[in-house]
């Protein structure tokens, strides 16, 4: 059983209850959220697709993130996370989309954007997208990525409980 199986099962169940499909838009996790969900047999009834958009070009081409957003705010920002989530929702059959973009390390951080900073975006049909950030400063690269998957699944669950 994977570390995320219980959470992933809960997300799949919540999506089934709401009658919606889910899409992911992942940068720093490189598809780990989609993998956690699709590790579970029968997930194809809920998981529509996953976008792995590691480069800025992929974010623009696959999700419609604007070059202006990336130039002004950077790939790891609230604005980019919101555009990633909204883009995944509009470019899929999903009713909910979760997006992550961050600095997993060990390099790439700065004073303004330290290693471990991850921005999360969530888009749910009929609602304005929302974003939140976490700093997983006490983790190595694998730990940042794993904590990001856990937080993303929690974010989806919280949104579906509220809706």
């Amino acid at each position: 059983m994977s570390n995320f199986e219980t959470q992933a099962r809960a997300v799949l169940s919540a999506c089934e209850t709401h009658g919606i499909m889910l899409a992911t838009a992942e940068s720093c996790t490189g598809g780990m959220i989609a993998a956690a969900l699709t590790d579970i047999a029968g997930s194809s009834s809920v998981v529509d697709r996953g976008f792995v958009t590691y480069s800025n070009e992929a974010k623009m081409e696959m999700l419609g993130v604007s070059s202006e957003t990336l130039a002004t705010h950077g790939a790891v920002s609230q604005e980019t996370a919101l555009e990633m989530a909204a883009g995944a929702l509009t470019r899929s059959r999903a009713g909910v989309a979760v997006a992550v973009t961050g600095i997993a390390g060990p390099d790439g951080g700065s004073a303004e954007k330290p290693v471990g900073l991850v921005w999360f975006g969530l888009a749910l049909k009929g609602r304005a997208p929302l974003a939140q950030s976490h700093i997983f400063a006490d983790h190595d690269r694998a730990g940042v990525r794993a904590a990001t998957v856990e937080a993303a699944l929690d974010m989806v669950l919280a949104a579906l409980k509220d809706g």
Side-chain angles (χ1 to χ4, degrees), residues 38-138:
T38 59
D39 277 349
I40 298 167
S43 59
S44 61
S45 65
V46 170
V47 178
D48 180 50
R49 67 193 73 193
F51 299 90
V52 176
T53 56
Y54 212 67
S55 69
N56 286 348
E57 290 76 14
K59 289 174 183 65
M60 291 184 292
E61 291 169 12
M62 296 172 69
L63 299 172
V65 174
S66 82
S67 59
E68 184 177 310
T69 296
L70 291 165
T72 304
H73 303 286
V76 181
S77 65
Q78 175 180 359
E79 294 80 4
T80 297
L82 288 169
E83 288 187 28
M84 288 174 67
L89 193 65
T90 61
R91 288 166 166 78
S92 70
R93 299 177 302 139
V96 63
V98 64
V100 297
T101 181
I103 304 167
D107 303 319
S110 67
E112 299 82 29
K113 295 181 181 182
V115 169
L117 171 65
V118 179
W119 274 98
F120 298 79
L122 187 120
L124 191 59
K125 281 206 173 161
R127 287 201 224 164
L130 58 98
Q132 63 186 34
S133 67
H134 293 284
I135 298 176
F136 303 109
D138 57 341

Side-chain angles (χ1 to χ4, degrees), residues 2 4-5 8-9 12 31-40 43 149 153:
S2 76
F4 311 116
E5 186 173 349
R9 285 186 185 281
L12 295 172
M32 291 173 64
I33 300 166
L37 294 163
T38 59
D39 277 349
I40 298 167
S43 59
V149 173
L153 293 172

